[in-house]
Amino acid sequence: MFQGVDELWMDGEFVDFDDAQIHVLTHGLHYGSGVFEGVRCYDTVDGPAVFRWEEHLERFYQSGKPYDLDIPFEPEELTEATIELIRREELESCYIRPIAFYGYDSLGVSPGDCPTKVAIGAWPWGAYLGEDALENGVDVMVSSWRKHASSQIPTNMKTTGLYVNSMLATEEAKGNGYTEAIVLNKEGNVAEGPGENLFLVRDGEIYTPGLAESILDGITRRTAIELARDLGYTVHDQATISRGELYTADELFFTGTAAEVTPIRSVDDNVIGEGTKGPVTDEIQDQFFDLVEGRLDGYDDWFTYV
Ligand code: PMP
């Protein structure tokens, strides 16, 4: 995955790939006490541009809040570092991974004087669930693992430790021959994918679980809601969706920075709609790629040009 990556940015400077190292007694490694982002830079018609960078950066800082994880760099410094990294790596489109975590000092659960370490990596990353997935959709299963309740851990933040739950769900799905999982929340309602938000289409209207359903406030989710409304669809963005409603949906799709807009063609072996990319999904996906590749007017604010 990291072939061809020469440098990363770490704690204020660019370092060679092989030198981007941390100590094995790092707090974040032991307790998952870190936060991260996943961002994409697209090769737009006006050149490489990072999509909705400001929103990702805001979520990055906010994710650290409950953990008193203060990121010791100004947003402008992280922006400059990211743009410079993409330039130095000569990337046109790429995935960008900022991470901040408690470093090495002591190993009490309380991070005490552990310094906050910050790093940014960037590398080319194609369709997360595969090119075929974008066109033909994915087969998914409802995981036997439930999402953490937001009373147990803030689920609207990208904390590293949260992702062992996502890993369990993903591995369970793959182990059973599916491409991806859908995870229910503690109440048994639909939450999201392990790394994606979920949308349902029924009778021409669009539904997506609300923020109180233990989901991440996905930036692609926000984008899809806005695009769908601009296209004239009614979008219910605070929906509660039961497991059974998945099986009777006309269409289902995932959204995410990595997964972009990926159709779901079956859930637990129940074919959704015609078992292909549905017409509403198709329209939103088309609009999404027109947007991120810079072919739609009026969204310039969402791009940070390299
Ligand atoms: N839910 C989870 C659990 C995720 O990890 C992601 C990926 N960041 C998403 C949803 C989608 O969020 P975004 O569109 O901001 O990438």
Side-chain angles (χ1 to χ4, degrees), residues 59 147 158 163 192-197 216 218-220 255-257:
R59 192 172 65 185
K147 196 96 208 162
K158 276 186 81 75
Y163 280 81
E192 58 185 346
E196 306 90 357
N197 290 112
L216 185 74
I219 289 161
T220 322
T255 64
T257 298

Side-chain angles (χ1 to χ4, degrees), residues 4-306:
V5 181
D6 291 324
E7 286 183 312
L8 281 84
W9 182 91
M10 201 170 172
D11 299 325
E13 54 191 37
F14 292 95
V15 294
D16 285 344
F17 185 84
D18 289 340
D19 296 332
Q21 308 273 359
I22 54 160
H23 200 277
V24 74
L25 297 180
T26 291
H27 195 277
L29 177 64
H30 291 251
Y31 305 123
S33 53
V35 301
F36 68 103
E37 270 304 316
V39 194
R40 271 190 194 269
C41 172
Y42 285 95
D43 187 16
T44 76
V45 293
D46 299 312
V50 183
F51 184 62
R52 303 196 80 170
W53 170 253
E54 300 291 330
E55 288 90 335
H56 282 283
L57 205 52
E58 190 185 345
R59 192 172 65 185
F60 188 46
Y61 283 90
Q62 289 196 340
S63 291
K65 272 190 173 176
Y67 307 99
D68 291 330
L69 188 81
D70 290 325
I71 296 172
F73 294 93
E74 295 300 320
E76 297 74 30
E77 292 175 287
L78 297 188
T79 303
E80 207 180 295
T82 302
I83 299 300
E84 177 63 16
L85 180 65
I86 297 169
R87 285 191 191 142
R88 287 164 87 115
E89 292 291 304
E90 297 178 355
L91 294 164
E92 271 149 10
S93 61
C94 62
Y95 182 84
I96 305 158
R97 169 55 58 86
I99 183 165
F101 54 95
Y102 281 114
Y104 163 84
D105 182 66
S106 63
L107 268 182
V109 169
S110 167
D113 292 328
C114 288
T116 303
K117 308 278 288 175
V118 189
I120 305 169
W123 62 90
W125 198 353
Y128 179 64
L129 298 172
E131 277 300 330
D132 179 68
L134 289 178
E135 205 38 52
N136 298 315
V138 287
D139 298 311
V140 308
M141 68 174 277
V142 173
S143 178
S144 66
W145 295 102
R146 295 282 172 93
K147 196 96 208 162
H148 306 93
S150 54
S151 57
Q152 295 168 316
I153 186 165
T155 48
N156 56 336
M157 302 179 178
K158 276 186 81 75
T159 311
T160 58
L162 272 175
Y163 280 81
V164 287
N165 176 260
S166 290
M167 192 184 109
L168 287 168
T170 304
E171 291 308 291
E172 183 185 27
K174 286 190 194 301
N176 284 286
Y178 299 91
T179 302
E180 189 58 301
I182 291 176
V183 189
L184 306 179
N185 62 20
K186 190 161 162 277
E187 290 71 36
N189 296 318
V190 174
E192 58 185 346
E196 306 90 357
N197 290 112
L198 182 124
F199 285 76
L200 177 151
V201 183
R202 192 173 56 220
D203 298 332
E205 298 194 359
I206 300 174
Y207 299 79
T208 191
L211 298 182
E213 304 288 332
S214 297
I215 65 162
L216 185 74
D217 181 5
I219 289 161
T220 322
R221 176 184 181 277
R222 295 183 211 161
T223 305
I225 291 168
E226 197 161 330
L227 289 179
R229 287 188 177 141
D230 286 352
L231 287 166
Y233 289 103
T234 299
V235 183
H236 306 269
D237 63 2
Q238 300 297 323
T240 297
I241 299 175
S242 68
R243 179 175 182 167
E245 287 174 277
L246 293 173
Y247 306 130
T248 56
D250 297 332
E251 299 179 33
L252 294 172
F253 61 91
F254 280 133
T255 64
T257 298
E260 299 171 309
V261 177
T262 300
I264 295 171
R265 67 180 174 200
S266 75
V267 181
D268 296 334
D269 301 328
N270 296 282
V271 173
I272 304 304
E274 303 293 319
T276 55
K277 178 170 35 170
V280 178
T281 308
D282 191 37
E283 200 181 351
I284 292 170
Q285 189 193 57
D286 265 359
Q287 194 79 353
F288 176 80
F289 282 110
D290 279 348
L291 167 65
V292 294
E293 287 162 12
R295 292 187 297 271
L296 286 191
D297 289 335
Y299 294 95
D300 222 39
D301 285 358
W302 285 356
F303 293 94
T304 303
Y305 289 93
V306 177

